[in-house]
Amino acid sequence: TASANRMLSALRGVLKAAWKLEQMSAEQYQRAAGIDSIEGETLPAGRALPSGEKNALMAACAADPGPAGVRDAAIIALMAVGGLRRAEVVNLDLSDYDPGTGRLKILGKRNQERETFLSNGALDAVNDWLIIRGDQRGPLFIAINRGDRLIYNRMTAQAFYSMLKRRGDQAGIKEFSPHDLRRTMISDLLDAGADISTVAKMVGHKNVNTTARYDRRPEQAKQ
């Protein structure tokens, strides 16, 4: 249903462009664009990680004595607390983060900027990584080769995904996706009584209905 409605929305956009370019009349545009959206709802995808699984992920990183363990702990803490998308984490630069205040500037979808503030364990995890990373300009989270040598190149999306899968296997937890950490953050905040409009702004959602789709509390209540 969602995919079909996205396609219809794209079609309406093409028709509107054709009307603006005078390639079709207003009547033709209205009749062609008057296709109704499809109604329906699917079960929410993904899952939220309970606190025990989050702790196991962090413990798996802590068991790694090399710099990758510190970096990976910072990434997981950042995603679980900040609700960032995978691409947003990969695209972070050192200049986007203020270690003193925990302020983090994020460039989201459609070039929309937002800010979030790290505190407590997440702040400590990222600052621990900065001690190892140093203050050289470039990506906040950089590549590390098998010899534990820091390479000041941006992590690829595939390397990021593989890292999370490896840490999940080491922690012995059920399979999860990078986006599940975003779902976890949203569910945890809503469960703690945070206002849904505030949560939507924190994660870069224009519509609170999108944020509501991430909430896993109804399924937990059914159980």
Side-chain angles (χ1 to χ4, degrees), residues 143-219:
I144 301 173
N145 68 11
R146 293 186 178 181
D148 286 342
R149 186 168 67 88
L150 304 184
I151 303 172
Y152 286 82
N153 294 331
R154 201 175 299 279
M155 291 178 69
T156 65
Q158 183 57 46
F160 188 93
Y161 183 86
S162 298
M163 177 276 290
L164 285 181
K165 186 178 186 309
R166 182 173 66 257
R167 296 305 182 190
D169 291 342
Q170 292 170 351
I173 65 175
K174 191 170 67 173
E175 187 175 348
F176 70 99
S177 71
H179 220 64
D180 286 339
L181 291 171
R182 183 172 166 86
R183 295 184 179 97
T184 300
M185 176 266 197
I186 294 173
S187 295
D188 287 349
L189 283 179
L190 293 176
D191 193 42
D195 179 68
I196 191 169
S197 62
T198 302
V199 177
K201 291 177 182 177
M202 291 176 67
V203 297
H205 285 160
K206 277 190 170 183
N207 193 323
V208 294
N209 292 329
T210 304
T211 310
R213 291 279 296 172
Y214 283 70
D215 188 4
R216 294 298 174 267
R217 291 176 302 166
E219 284 67 41

Side-chain angles (χ1 to χ4, degrees), residues 1 4 7 11-12 35 38 43 45 47 49 68 95 114 124 128 131 141 155 167 173 178 181 191 194 205 212 221:
T1 301
M7 294 175 188
L11 174 61
R12 294 187 189 102
I35 306 171
I38 298 173
L43 290 173
R47 68 186 187 94
L49 278 66
S95 59
R114 68 181 191 276
D124 293 339
D128 286 345
I131 294 173
F141 297 108
M155 291 178 69
R167 296 305 182 190
I173 65 175
L181 291 171
D191 193 42
H205 285 160

Side-chain angles (χ1 to χ4, degrees), residues 67-85:
V70 181
R71 180 200 64 185
D72 298 349
I75 290 174
I76 292 170
L78 177 60
M79 294 187 74
V81 172
L84 278 70
R85 302 176 178 93

